[in-house]
Amino acid sequence: MSELPEIQLEETGSKGRYFIRLATGEEAEMTFTKVGEHQVIIDHTEVPDAFRGQGAGLKLVTRAVEDIRKAGKTVIPLCPFAAAQFRRHPEWADVLKH
């Protein structure tokens, strides 16, 4: 198993996404929406079969959590995959919107 390419971030207005693009052009992505100045909603995570078994989805959510924490914001994980990762990672509770 090879190392995944670097996670990239794209933002347009209130929307954004973290993504990993393989040399083949396939992308794993996690999309989000900014709500006001202090909150982010994780909308969707999609990981094509080319990424299976490499932890790409978890890496995308982890990067988002790190960035949200640094920015002093909170997150609402509406995406079922992201919500499941928050349940598995109690150390992320500080950024979880209650």
Side-chain angles (χ1 to χ4, degrees), residues 1-90:
M1 173 169 52
S2 62
E3 183 79 15
L4 286 172
E6 184 178 333
I7 294 173
Q8 298 179 61
L9 171 62
E10 287 181 347
E11 293 182 272
T12 307
S14 65
K15 300 278 188 184
R17 73 183 188 126
Y18 289 93
F19 66 98
I20 302 168
R21 183 178 294 132
L22 295 178
T24 60
E26 290 185 277
E27 291 182 348
E29 73 171 356
M30 187 214 75
T31 62
F32 63 89
T33 303
K34 297 180 229 171
V35 182
E37 294 293 313
H38 305 290
Q39 215 166 62
V40 175
I41 295 172
I42 296 177
D43 308 302
H44 180 70
T45 305
E46 186 167 338
V47 179
D49 288 340
F51 290 88
R52 297 282 180 226
Q54 299 180 63
L58 175 58
K59 287 179 171 127
L60 291 167
V61 177
T62 300
R63 166 70 187 276
V65 167
E66 291 168 356
D67 288 354
I68 290 165
R69 183 178 285 131
K70 283 180 198 168
K73 297 181 180 186
T74 59
V75 65
I76 300 170
L78 292 184
C79 162
F81 176 80
Q85 294 306 315
F86 270 87
R87 287 191 295 275
R88 291 186 186 114
H89 295 275

